[in-house]
Structures are given as structure tokens and as C-alpha cells.
Amino acid sequence: MNVDAALAAAAALAGLCTGVIAMLAFRWSERDQARPTRSSLHTDAVLPPGVDTVLSVLRSSAVVLDEADAVVKASSAAYALGLVRGGKLSVEPMLQMARDTRRDGEIRQVELDLPRRGTGRGEALAVSARVAPLGSRLVLLLVEDLTEARRIEAVRRDFVANVSHELKTPVGALSLLSEAVMDAAEDPEAVNRFAGRMQIEATRLTNLVQELIDLSRVQNDDPLEDSEPVRVDELVAEAIDRCRHQAGAKQITMASGGTADLHVWGSRGQLAAALGNLVENAVNYSPARTRVGIAARRITAPGGDLIEIAVTDQGIGISEKDRERIFERFYRVDPARSRATGGTGLGLAIVKHVAASHGGEVTVWSAEGQGSTFTLRLPEAGTVRDRDRNPHHPVVEHLPAPEVLP
């Protein structure tokens, strides 16, 4: 009997010990799970319900920080901007804002210029950062990239300033010349001289207004609405005709060549204006008794064949720093020379927009003192190409071979 009682007591004691051990193990396990780890800081478990869903649809770069300044949640855009590195917020002013907001609960906002990640240039990212408390322990940082918005605003500001200046110059000249005509009413020779100057300024003003209208049109119009197969030979001939008088006055030889009977698809008027601007620039910026060439060819590209029209001159050339900006509105490499030739600074901007709206591009090669080559690349008119390959389809009459024009 005593032996049985002893065995029962031993069994009960063993069961009690096992239960205590199991309970301690369970509590230890719960404690381990509750303790934040390096990986758990990047999970959504500590975020308030619904916050993760809201952050996923925001366009801003989002970063959530805990009380130890560790990153709990960060969007991919935040990593792309270089805001988060190694699980920490890497921008000290933003980190200080987060600490201040955690201390007093105040919402803060600031605009900063950050170094652009991965570039050796001095370019900066313009950002707007807003910090707000998220619950009792977390802080939410939202960052907007303002770089493109600032660039567009700068372009708009420059455009308004430049167009105001360009319009005031001929208008002011016309006003002064009209006064001079009135004062010289008794001198026919002076009247004729001033009237001639007035005609020049009036023509300059007309050209400027027309190019502003053209630029607005190519930006707003859809070239596909009135598209048709356009023969490159005809575009080249029209551009040469447009500049024949200026070239003759400077004894510039204009030569056309390359592959004949090529076609592009688009608006004939816009394409003629774009190529005409390139040829006119080549003539205006070339010294006397030099040569301007226009050549067209077909090149193979992954998305389909392209038609390449190159305009080459032997002019003053363009420096490397200017080549990046010559397609901006009103930008001039040599303002004094441009005004002497009657240029408005809008021609290349029109070319760029026409090329883009037709699915192509315009590029430039230039060396100072050696001349420049502007290349217009446009998709080939596929229907025309396929028709020419079909022997049963009527053949289109070909233009004469390219010629060299004095």
C-alpha cells in the first residue's frame, strides 16, 4: 500500500513538473515571437489596420519609422530615391523632422534638394517631405518628387519671358520708326529708308507670330488625323525651294541625294515645315560659298524600317554645352547672329515636336568650326513599302534623280 502511494505521488510530481516546464516553454515562445527582430521590422504586423493598403495606393514615396528610427515600412519609390538604405532613413533632415514630430506630435513639411543617386553630376532632386504621427509609436514620412514639376515651371517661365522680349523688340522698333517717319516727313529719302526698316521689323514680327502658331498647332494637333504617305523627294525639293533665295545670295551650293522614292507616313504640312526649318537653319548659319547637303536613306530598326533624312552644313558648328539645349524654345547658340538672320529661336522646337508626334526623333552631330548634321528619323510608310513589293500593284511614278542645285 505504501509502495502504491509512493508511486502515485511520484507520478503526480512528474506530471506537475512536466506541466510547469510546458507552461514556461509556451511563455518563452510567446515572448520570443513578440520581441521585434531585424526581419520583423520590415513586416506589416506592427502597422495599424488598413495603413498598409492606403500606403500601397499613394503616389508619394512612403516611409514608416518606429520609436527607434528603424524603418517599419518603405515603398519601392522610397528605395529608388535613395531615402532608405540599410533599414535606416538616410536623409538626416527628414530623420530630424521625424524625431521632432514623434516628440510633440506636430505635422511638419519642408522642401529639400537631394543629391541624385548614382550620378557623378551635380544634379539634384527637388523633393517635398511631410511628416505626421501614425498612432502612438510610429511616424509616417511622405515624400513627393518635384524635380520634373520644377523643370516644367522653369521652361514655362523662360518661355513667357522670352516671348515677351521677342515680341517687344520688333513692336518697339516699329514704334520708334513710325516716329522717325513722322519727323522726316519733308525728307523723302529718309522716309523711304525708315519705311524699309519698318517692313523688315513687320516681317520679323509676322514670322514670330506664325511660328508661335505653328508650335502650338504641332503640340495640339494629332498628325494621324490627316496622315497620308508623303514622298521624301517632294519634301526635300520643297525645302530647297524655300531656301533657294537665301542660298543664292550667299553663293551656297545646295545638294540633294541618297535613296530615291522613299515614303513616310504623316502630315505633309508638318513634315514640310520641319525639314524646311532644318534646311533654312543650315543656310543661315553657313558661311558664304559653302555647301549644304540633304540626303535620305532607309535604315533597319527593331520596330520597323526608318527613313533617315540628314541635313549637313559647313557652318560655325555647335558647342557641346549648347547641343543639349538647342531644341528648347527661343534658345539660341549666338543670339546676335540669330537676330541678324531673322531667326526666332522656335524652328528647332517645332522640328522636335513634329518628329515626336510622328513617332520619330531628331538628333544632331556637330563640331565647332566643322559644321553640323541634323538627322530626322521617321517611320517608313509601311503600306507604301508593301505596295511597292507587290508586283501586281500599279507602280507609282518616280521623281527624277536627286540633283545638285547652285
Side-chain angles (χ1 to χ4, degrees), residues 286-349:
S286 292
R289 293 180 293 279
T290 55
R291 181 185 180 93
V292 171
I294 308 100
R297 63 171 183 165
R298 178 188 292 114
I299 61 173
T300 302
D305 290 349
L306 298 176
I307 302 302
E308 188 176 86
I309 309 171
V311 179
T312 303
D313 63 58
Q314 298 172 321
I316 59 177
I318 306 169
S319 67
E320 184 176 356
K321 67 180 181 65
D322 290 320
R323 286 199 295 270
E324 298 179 359
R325 300 191 59 191
I326 56 174
F327 294 103
E328 295 179 12
R329 304 166 186 171
F330 292 111
Y331 185 80
R332 292 184 174 96
V333 175
D334 185 349
R337 187 181 182 92
S338 295
R339 290 188 174 90
T341 60
T344 62
L346 292 173
L348 290 180

Side-chain angles (χ1 to χ4, degrees), residues 44 47-64 73-78 134 140-142:
D44 305 331
L47 291 177
V51 171
D52 184 47
T53 303
V54 173
L55 295 181
S56 66
V57 298
L58 289 177
R59 298 181 62 180
S60 307
S61 302
V63 181
V64 178
K73 176 75 177 180
S75 65
S76 57
L134 185 64
L140 173 63
L141 170 67
L142 296 177

